[in-house]
Amino acid sequence: MKPFMDKDFMLTTDSAKALFHNYAEHMPILDYHCHINPREIAEDRKFDNITQVWLGGDHYKWRQMRSNGVEEKYITGDASDREKFQKWAETMENLIGNPLYHWSHLELQRYFGYTGHLCGDTAEEVWNLCNEQLQNKWTVRSLIKASNVTLICTTDDPIDSLEWHEKIAADPTFDVQVLPAWRPDKAMNVEKPDYADYIAKLSDVSGVAIKTFGDLKEALKKRMAYFHERGCRVSDHALEYVMYVPADEAELDAIVAKSLAGNAISKEEELKFKTAFMLFVAREYNRLDWAMQLHYGCKRDNNAYMYQQLGADTGFDCINNYAPSAQMADFLNALSATNEIPRTIIYSLNPNDDASIGTILGCFQDPSAAGKLQQGSAWWFNDHKVGMTNQMTSLANLGCLGNFIGMLTDSRSFLSYTRHEYFRRIMCELIGGWVENGEYPDDQKALKRIVEGICYNNAVKYFGFDL
């Protein structure tokens, strides 16, 4: 029997162990997509206790606590932090096979030196150990530095001031780059009842009175320039799916006017507007040499009662299996017609989309970048051992795994960098298995390049960051 989560955790062959320990283990981290708060980095926040780090906004853990029958007061309610931690520790005992079990113990091992296992009986011991170190050793910045992170891309709305990014950049005591990433979902969601309110704010910060689709494009271009000056080189979009329903400018102006007047938008009007919006921003990204990330396949806020109590992003989302791949191909083809496809990373929450994504991307590659169009890493409900293995296997089957830009954190927690280690172990186990099985030669020079590339080097080259 192997020891619990020892140095060879998830590594079963000699080749896998060698690939991880010789190449992957010590590579830096480029976190090109996350949801951490740049203000907390600028102010170098200290946490009072482990609950603040682990449970203060982590809907992954909230979902499992609900699945374990925990009352909401111990999840998002007014119970004490110690009580919430106890309920999480008791939930952990039942999470056999769940990635949260591995992530949580990797965090306990790497940051707090705890090699036992968290459960209801050990909760007090772990609580005291972690809190003592959080109060006397760890701050946000020291956690980032200890994780060997070189660059972080946050997630930022077009109306954001980016003041905290500017303060971090001006601080000579912290050498990790923290750059904004453009996330214009609110400017695109024309069907939302608060769209007019948001557009008023965008008008104010851009200095453009937005009444038409052309006005909206002008306002967005000004804000893109503002972001670009502050180091932004990456965009991100949360889509229901990658749609393609073309419309002319007159139709788009009418849709904008209708929404701004507070009138309901039909589904067809929504799709036409969002198609035009995405075509416009994609062409701008190509002009600016930004990368475009498309996240799709999520059905959000499904529990109406809990949404009324807690609002969005509280753990009530699920996989949406409606994603017409023909429309995604048509969208990319419309950009291809004028040679304006930017570097593009496509993620689907539905693992059944892996093959369709892989075949579509292969239609639009060009020599301007190796792997110019990428399938993104296994995302959200898929970032576990099976999901990561399946995503990389599909990518290997249909594309060039050696050009893959690898893992991202996609988290609000400063302890989540251990997810990169988890990913790297799974990746080395997969590649090492192929070597052991005679499906790839034991060519250490090539394997070193592939493994180190997927861990870090490919992303540095792909995004063109100055590191």
Side-chain angles (χ1 to χ4, degrees), residues 30-239:
L30 194 163
D31 193 10
Y32 57 87
H33 175 66
C34 72
H35 297 278
I36 59 176
N37 186 343
R39 179 174 182 170
E40 294 181 338
I41 303 175
E43 296 180 342
D44 200 16
R45 178 183 175 183
K46 292 186 70 171
F47 297 95
D48 296 328
N49 59 61
I50 187 63
T51 298
Q52 292 180 3
V53 182
W54 263 5
L55 298 171
D58 190 341
H59 51 79
Y60 282 80
K61 294 186 178 72
W62 294 351
R63 286 171 68 96
Q64 301 312 324
M65 293 172 76
R66 293 176 187 131
S67 297
N68 202 42
V70 175
E71 293 180 51
E72 195 65 32
K73 68 174 288 187
Y74 298 106
I75 303 172
T76 61
D78 59 2
S80 70
D81 284 352
R82 178 64 184 87
E83 291 173 314
K84 291 179 178 179
F85 181 76
Q86 184 69 35
K87 294 297 184 182
W88 169 243
E90 293 169 1
T91 298
M92 280 279 284
E93 296 180 45
N94 290 325
L95 294 184
I96 183 169
N98 191 293
L100 283 168
Y101 196 84
H102 296 148
W103 296 349
S104 298
H105 283 101
L106 281 174
E107 291 169 16
L108 290 174
Q109 288 183 12
R110 299 297 174 262
Y111 298 111
F112 304 104
Y114 183 76
T115 56
H117 64 278
L118 176 61
C119 61
D121 292 341
T122 61
E124 181 70 13
E125 174 191 5
V126 175
W127 171 263
N128 291 329
L129 172 70
C130 293
N131 293 350
E132 190 276 332
Q133 294 191 40
L134 285 169
Q135 292 161 16
N136 298 302
K137 176 181 179 181
W138 293 118
T139 67
V140 161
R141 292 188 179 188
S142 63
L143 287 168
I144 292 170
K145 290 293 292 182
S147 304
N148 201 14
V149 179
T150 62
L151 187 145
I152 296 168
C153 292
T154 58
T155 302
D156 308 280
D157 189 275
I159 67 173
D160 288 348
S161 69
L162 307 183
E163 61 179 302
W164 300 108
H165 297 84
E166 293 178 337
K167 290 180 179 179
I168 296 167
D171 185 348
T173 67
F174 188 62
D175 62 357
V176 177
Q177 293 187 60
V178 181
L179 303 178
W182 170 267
R183 177 78 170 246
D185 295 350
K186 291 181 180 179
M188 185 183 68
N189 290 336
V190 70
E191 79 284 6
K192 299 291 186 182
D194 59 352
Y195 187 71
D197 293 337
Y198 176 81
I199 291 300
K201 296 175 183 176
L202 180 59
S203 293
D204 287 342
V205 299
S206 67
V208 177
I210 301 173
K211 297 180 180 179
T212 67
F213 187 64
D215 296 335
L216 176 61
K217 291 191 288 186
E218 184 60 29
L220 292 172
K221 285 174 69 173
K222 289 193 172 186
R223 294 307 295 170
M224 285 185 205
Y226 182 86
F227 271 57
H228 192 82
E229 291 170 358
R230 286 151 185 81
C232 179
R233 298 295 182 270
V234 183
S235 70
D236 182 47
H237 298 265
L239 303 171

Side-chain angles (χ1 to χ4, degrees), residues 175-399:
D175 62 357
V176 177
Q177 293 187 60
V178 181
L179 303 178
W182 170 267
R183 177 78 170 246
D185 295 350
K186 291 181 180 179
M188 185 183 68
N189 290 336
V190 70
E191 79 284 6
K192 299 291 186 182
D194 59 352
Y195 187 71
D197 293 337
Y198 176 81
I199 291 300
K201 296 175 183 176
L202 180 59
S203 293
D204 287 342
V205 299
S206 67
V208 177
I210 301 173
K211 297 180 180 179
T212 67
F213 187 64
D215 296 335
L216 176 61
K217 291 191 288 186
E218 184 60 29
L220 292 172
K221 285 174 69 173
K222 289 193 172 186
R223 294 307 295 170
M224 285 185 205
Y226 182 86
F227 271 57
H228 192 82
E229 291 170 358
R230 286 151 185 81
C232 179
R233 298 295 182 270
V234 183
S235 70
D236 182 47
H237 298 265
L239 303 171
E240 182 182 354
Y241 60 92
V242 183
M243 70 285 295
Y244 186 73
V245 184
D248 61 36
E249 198 79 8
E251 289 180 278
L252 298 169
D253 286 345
I255 294 168
V256 171
K258 186 176 180 180
S259 180
L260 294 181
N263 297 318
I265 299 298
S266 71
K267 189 64 178 181
E268 182 181 9
E269 289 171 328
E270 175 192 342
L271 295 176
K272 286 182 176 181
F273 177 85
K274 289 182 175 180
T275 298
F277 185 100
M278 289 303 305
L279 288 171
F280 161 71
V281 294
R283 290 177 173 126
E284 288 301 306
Y285 302 155
N286 183 66
R287 181 181 64 84
L288 292 166
D289 198 24
W290 288 9
M292 175 172 70
Q293 297 179 93
L294 305 177
H295 286 86
Y296 75 89
C298 181
K299 188 176 186 302
R300 300 178 184 272
D301 306 321
N302 294 286
N303 188 322
Y305 174 77
M306 293 305 294
Y307 180 77
Q308 291 175 356
Q309 305 298 312
L310 302 175
D313 300 323
T314 51
F316 300 97
D317 306 325
C318 68
I319 292 172
N320 186 347
N321 68 354
Y322 179 72
S325 59
Q327 290 195 38
M328 181 162 65
D330 289 343
F331 169 75
L332 292 170
N333 204 34
L335 296 170
S336 176
T338 52
N339 195 29
E340 291 180 290
I341 300 180
R343 280 167 290 133
T344 300
I345 311 162
I346 299 180
Y347 314 75
S348 174
L349 203 55
N350 186 350
N352 292 330
D353 291 340
D354 283 353
S356 61
I357 291 174
T359 58
I360 289 170
L361 300 186
C363 298
F364 299 102
Q365 303 289 7
D366 68 49
S368 63
K372 178 179 178 178
L373 279 77
Q374 292 257 342
Q375 181 185 9
S377 60
W379 171 45
W380 197 348
F381 296 125
N382 303 306
D383 53 7
H384 45 72
K385 182 170 67 172
V386 173
M388 290 181 181
T389 300
N390 288 346
Q391 183 268 340
M392 284 186 278
T393 301
S394 180
L395 178 54
N397 285 337
L398 299 170

